[in-house]
Amino acid sequence: MSDFPSSKYDRGKIFAKTGLKVGSNYAKHYLKSLRGSNSEQNSQFYNQTAQEILTEFTKLRGTALKIAQSLSIDQGFLPDEFAEAMTQAQYSVPPINRSLVRSIIKRELGSYPETLFASFETEASAAASIGQVHRATLKDGRKVAVKIQYPGVRDTITTDLGLAKTLFRRFIKNSDELDEYFREIESSLRRETDYIAEGESINRFHERFAGEKFETPQWVEEYSTERVLTMTFIEGNHLNEFLKTEPSQTEKDRYGQLLWDFFHQQIQEFDEIHADTHPGNFLLTPDGKLGIIDFGCVKTFPPDFFKNYLLLLPTHLDRDIDAIIKLYKELSVLKTHPDEDPKEKRYFDFCINYGYTFAMPYESDKFDFGDPEYKELIRGYTKNAPIGNEARGNKHFIYSTRVHLGLYHFLMKIGAQIDTRESRNIVADAIKTL
């Protein structure tokens, strides 16, 4: 695919086509349900519909694909088949063509890439939802990564969100409550499509973390605009490349521990949080550091929400029922006391056990994320929520869950054994401070 459908008309046509497919699928599914259906048929139906949505969203790139990414980790209101399909939105987006790349750089930086850089690779090294990355070398010899935003992405945000909201209302209960989630996504997207803001985040994270354990790029401001971002290049292996080397358990543990420590050091400082924990944003450098290479999605959570979120860990481990109910209500997980409504009681029983499973890594000094029993527990809770397709929970869960659960999935894929002693102290101290 060589172009980006940026007009409201072109994007509206794709959304409409997707909506017709979804509507047709649901009508056929309803007819089958009248004759009797089983869970396997339901799963096939959800998977087919999700794949069709993903296919059309991949054509749209931009905001539409970012919405898919935001929903790729189960938030408790999408069928699991949708969440799994949306995970594919993290990868394999077709790049725009070379002539368009040259014209964007000329418009944004004043000259064509062959004039500005000592070398510039015309083939994109990575293509994602709102932009693609090209390797280059500056005339002073520095190797850099140049991220080019697809044309018109920022202009599509409001339109895409409105169209996507209409689409998702087809399969989410109490869909009127989606508005606050979509406002949160819109706020993040507006910041994520501002490459000057991302460059400033790169500098702040470099100042905070670059050192013995972590490596972060540096922003090259003179070769950057709101739509073109240039940063120093970091060598290293992404997760799949790392696993192909058949690493030892010691090497797996080191990679995993670096990820775990990076997450908790951010909690310790309670400043900005890197809110996009998926394998494409991290790598292991040749000298054994954790490289963090994308800073588009950076969040600062309100202190009251963040404190309550952290309190979920010790209260679940202590099985403090009264404290858990209080937290669930404050975080909008529960609507009423579980003793007052059988539906809330079923949901509470599920959440408290899922919460305990989520808190388990903090229970002992060392935890094995490669344990197949733990993987099955997490998978089982994700697939068997008693109340599906329903929007619940504080809007900030969209990104806090994306960070935390994304970390767990990352560590489970590595199969890392993690030392959790320091992290337990960090969480406890953060709760006292907030």
Side-chain angles (χ1 to χ4, degrees):
M1 181 175 182
S2 62
D3 55 2
F4 177 87
S6 58
S7 76
K8 183 185 294 187
Y9 175 72
D10 289 338
R11 298 180 74 78
K13 281 198 302 183
I14 295 176
F15 269 106
K17 180 182 176 184
T18 308
L20 286 172
K21 285 185 178 180
V22 172
S24 174
N25 287 349
Y26 270 80
K28 292 174 183 176
H29 182 64
Y30 177 70
L31 288 175
K32 287 181 180 179
S33 72
L34 293 178
R35 305 185 190 104
S37 64
N38 55 42
S39 59
E40 182 178 350
Q41 289 173 331
N42 287 336
S43 179
Q44 290 174 350
F45 157 68
Y46 283 133
N47 186 64
Q48 177 190 350
T49 304
Q51 290 294 341
E52 290 177 350
I53 290 174
L54 181 61
T55 297
E56 300 304 322
F57 277 18
T58 300
K59 293 177 186 176
L60 288 164
R61 299 187 184 92
T63 306
L65 203 52
K66 273 295 175 184
I67 294 166
Q69 290 179 354
S70 297
L71 299 172
S72 64
I73 292 182
D74 180 35
Q75 304 294 334
F77 56 85
L78 281 178
D80 189 51
E81 290 78 10
F82 273 90
E84 289 178 2
M86 291 304 106
T87 301
Q88 298 172 35
Q90 308 281 13
Y91 311 100
S92 303
V93 180
I96 56 176
N97 64 40
R98 299 178 187 181
S99 61
L100 185 54
V101 168
R102 291 182 76 247
S103 67
I104 291 172
I105 290 180
K106 173 69 164 60
R107 184 184 68 239
E108 293 294 320
L109 298 180
S111 296
Y112 290 112
E114 58 268 25
T115 302
L116 290 168
F117 302 96
S119 67
F120 184 89
E121 295 185 4
T122 56
E123 291 289 337
S125 60
S129 54
I130 64 173
Q132 62 189 48
V133 178
H134 293 256
R135 296 186 63 169
T137 305
L138 297 179
K139 292 182 177 179
D140 63 9
R142 284 181 292 170
K143 296 185 183 302
V144 294
V146 183
K147 184 157 69 169
I148 299 165
Q149 189 173 122
Y150 302 132
V153 165
R154 295 203 88 197
D155 299 331
T156 69
I157 291 175
T158 300
T159 301
D160 279 7
L161 283 170
L163 292 167
K165 198 186 306 181
T166 301
L167 181 60
F168 280 108
R169 286 186 194 280
R170 294 176 181 269
F171 53 87
I172 297 178
K173 299 175 184 176
N174 65 316
S175 57
D176 288 343
E177 297 181 19
L178 280 175
D179 289 346
E180 65 174 325
Y181 295 99
F182 274 87
R183 281 194 293 271
E184 179 67 11
I185 292 171
E186 179 173 9
S187 174
S188 295
L189 282 170
R190 294 211 173 276
R191 180 175 177 83
E192 199 165 346
T193 53
D194 180 352
Y195 284 175
I196 296 297
E198 182 175 352
E200 292 168 347
S201 294
I202 288 172
N203 280 353
R204 289 192 296 272
F205 271 81
H206 184 79
E207 185 176 344
R208 289 169 62 194
F209 291 103
E212 293 183 3
K213 295 199 303 184
F214 309 116
E215 185 168 350
T216 66
Q218 292 177 285
W219 183 31
V220 185
E221 186 174 357
E222 60 270 31
Y223 289 88
S224 300
T225 69
E226 285 190 353
R227 294 173 179 83
V228 172
L229 174 67
T230 302
M231 69 193 94
T232 54
F233 187 82
I234 296 178
E235 299 281 355
N237 287 331
H238 291 290
L239 177 60
N240 288 339
E241 297 166 330
F242 171 74
L243 293 177
K244 285 177 183 177
T245 66
E246 299 183 355
S248 66
Q249 188 61 50
T250 299
E251 291 172 312
K252 292 178 182 178
D253 293 347
R254 174 171 176 77
Y255 198 167
Q257 191 70 51
L258 287 168
L259 283 161
W260 184 263
D261 291 347
F262 175 65
F263 172 77
H264 287 88
Q265 191 169 327
Q266 293 177 91
I267 292 175
Q268 186 175 34
E269 298 179 6
F270 186 59
D271 195 353
E272 294 173 300
I273 302 290
H274 185 287
D276 200 0
T277 311
H278 80 79
N281 291 337
F282 299 89
L283 46 79
L284 190 65
T285 67
D287 56 355
K289 296 180 183 180
L290 178 69
I292 307 103
I293 59 172
D294 190 293
F295 297 87
C297 188
V298 170
K299 298 293 292 183
T300 300
F301 296 110
D304 56 343
F305 166 81
F306 200 58
K307 180 174 183 177
N308 284 336
Y309 182 80
L310 293 178
L311 278 169
L312 289 170
L313 295 172
T315 52
H316 278 86
L317 291 176
D318 294 341
R319 289 282 174 160
D320 187 338
I321 303 298
D322 291 337
I324 291 171
I325 292 174
K326 182 175 182 291
L327 281 174
Y328 281 0
K329 291 176 78 172
E330 290 180 357
L331 291 167
S332 302
V333 174
L334 286 178
K335 297 179 179 179
T336 62
H337 195 284
D339 291 342
E340 298 173 1
D341 185 331
K343 179 181 175 182
E344 293 297 297
K345 179 66 164 64
R346 289 195 302 274
Y347 195 56
F348 173 73
D349 289 343
F350 170 84
C351 287
I352 192 172
N353 286 289
Y354 187 24
Y356 174 72
T357 301
F358 201 77
M360 279 174 62
Y362 296 87
E363 192 170 29
S364 56
D365 291 347
K366 201 171 187 68
F367 189 80
D368 184 5
F369 279 93
D371 182 350
E373 185 175 345
Y374 186 71
K375 291 182 183 179
E376 191 58 34
L377 270 175
I378 291 288
R379 174 179 167 82
Y381 279 111
T382 301
K383 291 182 70 66
N384 294 290
I387 300 176
N389 306 11
E390 185 172 350
R392 286 211 184 208
N394 187 290
K395 65 180 181 180
H396 296 294
F397 273 124
I398 292 176
Y399 292 97
S400 66
T401 304
R402 183 176 179 179
V403 176
H404 210 164
L405 191 55
L407 173 67
Y408 281 26
H409 283 308
F410 206 143
L411 295 174
M412 287 187 289
K413 191 165 185 178
I414 294 174
Q417 297 172 11
I418 301 300
D419 186 324
T420 65
R421 287 173 293 182
E422 184 179 359
S423 61
R424 292 205 308 273
N425 293 331
I426 287 173
V427 171
D429 291 343
I431 290 170
K432 293 175 185 176
T433 303
L434 287 166

